[in-house]
Amino acid sequence: MEHSPQTANEELPRETTAMARIFGAHIGRKSLSHQEIMTRLTEDLIIAREAGNSFITLDAEEDAAVKANAHFCRGEEALFHLEGNHLYLYREYRNEVALAEAIASKLLAPAPENKFSDAEIRAAFVKSGGPGFEPHENQTDAVKNCLASNFSIITGGPGTGKTTIIAALVTLEVKRNPGIAIEIAAPTGKAAELLTAGLSKACPEYPVKAETLHKLFKAQHGSGRFSCNASNPLECDLLIVDECSMISLDTASKMFNGLKPGTRVVLSGDHRQLEAIGPGAVLDSLLTFDPGEREAAWKLKKASTELTANYRSKLAPTIQELAKALREEDDIKLLTQRITTAASDHYCFKKSGKEVKKEALESALSHWKELPGVCSEITEESRKRAFEMLKSFRIITAARIGKDGCVKFNEEIMKALKLGSCETPGAALLITQNSRRTGLSNGDIGIVFADGVNGGIKVCFEHLAEPLPFHELPPFESAFAMTVHKAQGSGFAEVFFPLPAKDTPLLTKELFYTALTRAAKKITISGTPEMVEAALMKKSCRSAALRERILSQLEKADDEKKNL
């Protein structure tokens, strides 16, 4: 019997956090009536937000309780917003409305005309893809769509050529308007670094560099605000943002608020990967829907192009075939069987156990055993070799803590490599907090080197020309093993992915897909068929009304146009 996927939050125990309890108790005390219901609803809202939802749905009794305490929903200091039977934290409501209005306005504004011929577009692909490169039809369609739109989306899995498309688009945009101001960004430092590296190869004649969104829009440390805002917009004619599945509703809203009305926007990403840490499912909301007979829905649907041809399939066909099956197949029993029985030189599923974990640590040691020696001095060659070694293999986990968490794996790898601490040459570090002073971003990875000139140690990062003193680093953790969330936006030659021994809310279809697609050449998955099935059964489904708000804006504009 075929199983129906459940949402990631379905039928899970209600667990309150300290913040939810404190805020709930405060609202209960300030309520005019229905104190117990208002306390619980407030806790539920905080829990829902932490799970990525924009609102909760009320029953009749709860709706009456909120209406009896309408003072919480009034004025500039409003805490909540009630819309129908949906209760929002006011901040999430404001963000959703603002983002919907911004996207709708770009879809409604007069769009530029694409005057490039098919031959000119193919020539741009040859420049970005290399001699002999022949773009797939949906790649050229994506470029045409971007050239003739104020708002467009490119979506597709790893290896489908998103970076090649961005490079071809930049080439054509500069040709169309040599003075155009193009900005390229990604949510994390690692994603921006990888995109910059890819673009430098694909269009070397144009010095394009991807920045993190927080750096590009001048995030104010500690305030949650961007200095680039409606009164001080980013000087940009075309903004291209990659890895958009990782962008929360809050960040997307602030990003669009910081743009000039005439700035065109291209979003790129894989909406089947893990969603953002934070409320909203922006990319998924814009892509996964049936337009039916609604004209406005078709207008939004036509803004996106999905890429299907995979250019990495020759490197690891089994991985790509399984990723495609995860995208297209809904029969969970069949999917589980395929995942747990497939075997090739580049894909292996093993029953979890002590021996498999031992093999993973031995594999880590085989890839990294020379790393401490390579890091005994800082030279151009040693830096290059160290980062190549580090990128050759990675352990990625569902959780941070526990026997199958990245913290435990990092401890064991450090011990196997005889690295006494993170201050030992050869240690790999993952930055966990943005730092404008050092130029480091959350997600950046550095390697500790011995400083032969001055003594002591320094830390090298691929995107920084000069190493940094260890004491100047923002918060970090060990990087030999990392969570799937932290690995999102990165890629490694080989990956070991241990499934947790027991089911957990973290284990979802999106997490499994993201883990699988981090591997370029080889992946070993350790677990049980039961845990694979548990992951596939939980498809994330966040509560959000972004898409419906956009469609309402488009339909309102159409009605006004008809009534003129």
Side-chain angles (χ1 to χ4, degrees), residues 139-170:
Q139 285 187 308
T140 56
D141 287 345
V143 168
K144 290 176 184 177
N145 192 35
C146 294
L147 287 167
S149 305
N150 293 310
F151 175 76
S152 50
I153 306 170
I154 305 164
T155 184
T160 52
K162 295 188 291 294
T163 301
T164 305
I165 289 172
I166 293 171
L169 177 63
V170 168

Side-chain angles (χ1 to χ4, degrees), residues 219-249:
Q220 300 173 11
H221 181 67
S223 73
R225 298 188 181 92
F226 287 174
S227 292
C228 289
N229 50 43
S231 59
N232 180 40
L234 182 71
E235 286 300 321
C236 174
D237 300 313
L238 173 64
L239 174 66
I240 303 172
V241 187
D242 196 22
E243 295 289 354
C244 286
S245 64
M246 301 166 68
I247 299 177
S248 68
L249 176 67

Side-chain angles (χ1 to χ4, degrees), residues 9 11-17 20-21 24 36-47:
N9 302 312
E11 297 179 359
L12 295 175
R14 182 181 183 274
E15 296 181 3
T16 61
T17 61
R21 290 192 295 272
E36 186 176 335
I37 294 176
M38 291 302 295
T39 297
R40 177 173 51 78
L41 285 179
T42 304
E43 291 180 354
D44 287 348
L45 262 177
I46 300 299
I47 295 167

Side-chain angles (χ1 to χ4, degrees), residues 295-495:
E295 187 177 335
W298 278 106
K299 192 178 188 71
L300 178 58
K301 197 72 173 177
K302 288 176 182 177
S304 64
T305 307
E306 181 160 9
L307 309 175
T308 55
N310 195 297
Y311 293 91
R312 293 184 194 167
S313 57
K314 291 181 181 179
L315 290 175
T318 307
I319 295 174
Q320 302 306 332
E321 288 163 9
L322 290 175
K324 183 179 180 182
L326 282 165
R327 291 193 294 269
E328 299 176 358
E329 179 59 65
D330 292 325
D331 187 326
I332 291 171
K333 286 289 187 184
L334 179 61
L335 267 176
T336 300
Q337 185 180 15
R338 287 190 64 178
I339 289 165
T340 55
T341 59
S344 67
D345 291 341
H346 51 271
Y347 178 85
C348 180
F349 184 90
K350 293 186 176 184
K351 179 86 171 177
S352 57
K354 291 182 179 179
E355 287 303 311
V356 178
K357 190 169 184 179
K358 182 181 177 183
E359 287 178 24
L361 292 171
E362 288 174 350
S363 185
L365 192 59
S366 70
H367 283 85
W368 297 327
K369 63 183 178 182
E370 296 180 12
L371 193 56
V374 171
C375 297
S376 61
E377 62 175 340
I378 304 176
T379 67
E380 185 176 341
E381 179 59 30
S382 66
R383 286 180 59 153
K384 180 181 178 182
R385 189 178 172 203
F387 279 102
E388 285 176 350
M389 290 173 66
L390 187 59
K391 286 184 283 189
S392 68
F393 180 75
R394 200 59 52 95
I395 294 174
I396 56 176
T397 65
R400 290 192 76 254
I401 59 175
K403 66 177 183 179
D404 295 314
C406 65
V407 171
K408 183 66 174 176
F409 272 105
N410 274 315
E411 289 174 356
E412 295 182 359
I413 292 168
M414 293 279 285
K415 184 177 179 180
L417 292 174
K418 298 179 181 178
L419 298 173
S421 72
C422 286
E423 298 182 41
T424 307
L429 309 178
L430 173 69
I431 300 301
T432 59
Q433 183 175 300
N434 295 335
S435 168
R436 184 181 297 178
R437 180 178 57 82
T438 61
L440 295 174
S441 302
N442 181 15
D444 284 342
I445 291 178
I447 301 177
V448 179
F449 281 77
D451 184 2
V453 177
N454 301 309
I457 57 170
K458 286 193 174 180
V459 186
C460 293
F461 295 84
E462 280 193 291
H463 68 294
L464 297 182
E466 297 297 325
L468 292 173
F470 189 90
H471 67 271
E472 291 188 5
L473 297 182
F476 62 83
E477 58 191 42
S478 189
F480 293 113
M482 60 177 64
T483 63
V484 179
H485 277 91
K486 290 291 187 182
Q488 192 171 0
S490 300
F492 314 101
E494 296 185 26
V495 165

Side-chain angles (χ1 to χ4, degrees), residues 124-125 127-129 143 161-173 184 195 198-206 208 240:
F125 272 101
K127 267 190 172 184
S128 59
V143 168
K162 295 188 291 294
T163 301
T164 305
I165 289 172
I166 293 171
L169 177 63
V170 168
T171 300
L172 291 164
E173 290 285 2
I184 303 177
L195 183 57
L199 292 174
S200 66
K201 293 178 182 177
C203 50
E205 63 268 45
Y206 305 119
V208 289
I240 303 172

Side-chain angles (χ1 to χ4, degrees), residues 19 23 30 58 67 73 97 132 136 231 265 426 479 553:
M19 179 183 291
F23 193 28
K30 296 290 184 180
L58 308 182
K67 288 177 178 174
C73 301
V97 169
H136 189 271
S231 59
V265 177
Q553 291 283 327

